[in-house]
Amino acid sequence: MSLSAFSDYLSLEKNYSKHTVLAYQRDLEMFQEFLNETYDSESLDKVNYPEIRQWIVELVNSGVSNRTINRKISSLNSYYKFLQKVGDLESNPLKRHKALKVGKKVQLPFSEQELKQVLETAIEINDFESARDQLIIELFYATGIRRIELVNLKLSDIDFSNNQIKVLGKRNKERYIPLIETLTGTINSYLNFRNELPIINDKEFLLLTKKGLKIYEMLVYRIINKYFSKASSKAKCSPHVLRHSFATHLLNEGADLNAVKELLGHTSLAATQVYTHNSIAELKKVYAKSHPRNRR
């Protein structure tokens, strides 16, 4: 079975982008080159797991990251599954393969000083867009909601009488998050500008474009990146970093881990524990400064 048939399958049936298809092709061609050099032109279709394992060892010894190796093996696995689907292969040589362990990247949150700089000095509120941008930043930092959750917020989700908002999370699970006083004021300020828009098409949604349409995820990312790239030296200035900052700063101030889990909409405590890395660092500072045996 030629690689071109597999590429056609990825393009036409799986509807993968041209860039993705080329990435699959490069991975398979690289493995074929390894087979040519090591096993004297053995075919991709005929290999067994030991040959693949040897390629993995060579990649590791060459300094290729586990994450990249896993991606290359995933390309191979897709190819062998395709061969099984069309009846050209009985058994997938990767059926018992286990992916290499990949360490989780620790994502540093924005500092409280960076947040203060953006929230207090970066935006001069004088029109609809500036009021909306301010609200988006405050919503992320005051509630920790996800970007898609923010995009889908409706006017009816804001409960001023009980100072809370309703958020529709993953798997359509609802949760309620308290509104702090400053955020309530920012929402009201934004709504005043929103009411002055000449046309509002998506009336039920809270956050809109200046054309009165529901805001979209890429615009939200651009807004966050626009303001925080000026205040922070971090390579990544995204909505998720703001969500990370919300959780980390709460934990640094002594918030209960289970309470933060509920606010974030996590189903398991393990997902929330990712945010304790920086909190533990902060705890060590407090411990070193406060413990009686350390004050001598």
Side-chain angles (χ1 to χ4, degrees):
M1 175 67 66
S2 67
L3 291 183
S4 61
F6 177 58
S7 297
D8 290 341
Y9 165 74
L10 295 178
S11 299
L12 302 175
E13 291 197 35
K14 302 292 285 184
N15 201 28
Y16 287 172
S17 69
K18 184 178 180 180
H19 175 79
T20 301
V21 173
L22 288 174
Y24 274 79
Q25 287 178 339
R26 284 195 296 268
D27 291 336
L28 295 174
E29 289 167 0
M30 183 180 291
F31 182 49
Q32 183 64 69
E33 289 173 7
F34 165 78
L35 293 175
N36 294 343
E37 295 172 4
T38 311
Y39 297 100
D40 193 22
S41 300
E42 186 167 354
S43 170
L44 276 174
D45 305 3
K46 308 296 182 184
V47 301
N48 295 307
Y49 185 67
E51 288 92 336
I52 299 174
R53 179 66 183 172
Q54 186 58 41
W55 187 44
I56 294 173
V57 170
E58 181 170 295
L59 291 171
V60 170
N61 291 337
S62 300
V64 179
S65 71
N66 285 5
R67 190 181 302 275
T68 300
I69 292 173
N70 285 342
R71 195 209 70 229
K72 293 180 182 299
I73 299 305
S74 178
S75 297
L76 266 185
N77 194 36
S78 295
Y79 178 62
Y80 291 130
K81 285 183 177 179
F82 166 71
L83 293 182
Q84 285 183 295
K85 182 176 182 177
V86 298
D88 286 353
L89 188 68
E90 284 189 16
S91 179
N92 185 342
L94 284 164
K95 62 183 177 182
R96 290 189 175 88
H97 173 74
K98 293 184 178 180
L100 302 181
K101 290 184 178 180
V102 177
K104 291 184 178 179
K105 292 182 179 179
V106 177
Q107 193 169 62
L108 294 176
F110 295 121
S111 68
E112 291 186 37
Q113 183 58 41
E114 288 170 336
L115 264 300
K116 184 177 180 180
Q117 181 179 338
V118 172
L119 289 169
E120 296 183 6
T121 64
I123 308 176
E124 182 180 349
I125 300 176
N126 51 26
D127 59 13
F128 167 78
E129 287 187 305
S130 58
R132 181 202 61 198
D133 294 356
Q134 178 82 13
L135 176 56
I136 287 173
I137 294 169
E138 287 196 28
L139 274 168
F140 277 127
Y141 186 51
T143 68
I145 60 177
R146 301 177 178 92
R147 176 166 38 166
I148 188 62
E149 293 171 343
L150 178 137
V151 166
N152 288 325
L153 279 177
K154 297 181 178 178
L155 283 172
S156 58
D157 294 329
I158 312 297
D159 183 352
F160 288 107
S161 59
N162 292 307
N163 288 320
Q164 63 185 21
I165 61 169
K166 181 176 71 176
V167 177
L168 188 63
K170 292 183 177 179
R171 293 173 289 278
N172 291 323
K173 184 179 179 182
E174 291 182 355
R175 69 184 187 279
Y176 290 86
I177 303 176
L179 290 176
I180 58 177
E181 187 176 345
T182 54
L183 181 55
T184 301
T186 304
I187 293 173
N188 283 319
S189 175
Y190 161 75
L191 290 176
N192 289 333
F193 283 104
R194 183 184 184 278
N195 291 335
E196 294 176 1
L197 288 175
I199 299 174
I200 299 180
N201 292 305
D202 295 326
K203 296 180 179 180
E204 70 270 32
F205 291 99
L206 173 67
L207 295 163
L208 305 174
T209 68
K210 64 181 179 181
K211 294 182 179 179
L213 300 172
K214 176 186 174 184
I215 203 169
Y216 50 96
E217 289 189 63
M218 183 51 68
L219 177 56
V220 173
Y221 173 83
R222 290 203 297 262
I223 289 168
I224 299 303
N225 188 66
K226 170 186 173 181
Y227 293 105
F228 281 90
S229 61
K230 297 175 182 176
S232 174
S233 59
K234 291 178 177 58
K236 189 174 183 181
C237 296
S238 69
H240 187 72
V241 178
L242 261 180
R243 175 173 159 89
H244 186 61
S245 305
F246 162 82
T248 302
H249 294 172
L250 279 180
L251 291 167
N252 284 347
E253 293 297 323
D256 177 71
L257 188 62
N258 277 297
V260 175
K261 166 183 167 291
E262 294 301 318
L263 290 170
L264 291 171
H266 286 159
T267 54
S268 72
L269 203 58
T272 314
Q273 287 173 332
V274 172
Y275 300 104
T276 63
H277 174 83
N278 297 289
S279 304
I280 290 172
E282 186 70 20
L283 185 61
K284 287 179 179 178
K285 292 180 185 178
V286 174
Y287 178 79
K289 182 179 179 181
S290 306
H291 197 282
R293 296 288 292 174
N294 233 22
R295 296 202 305 261
R296 293 187 299 172

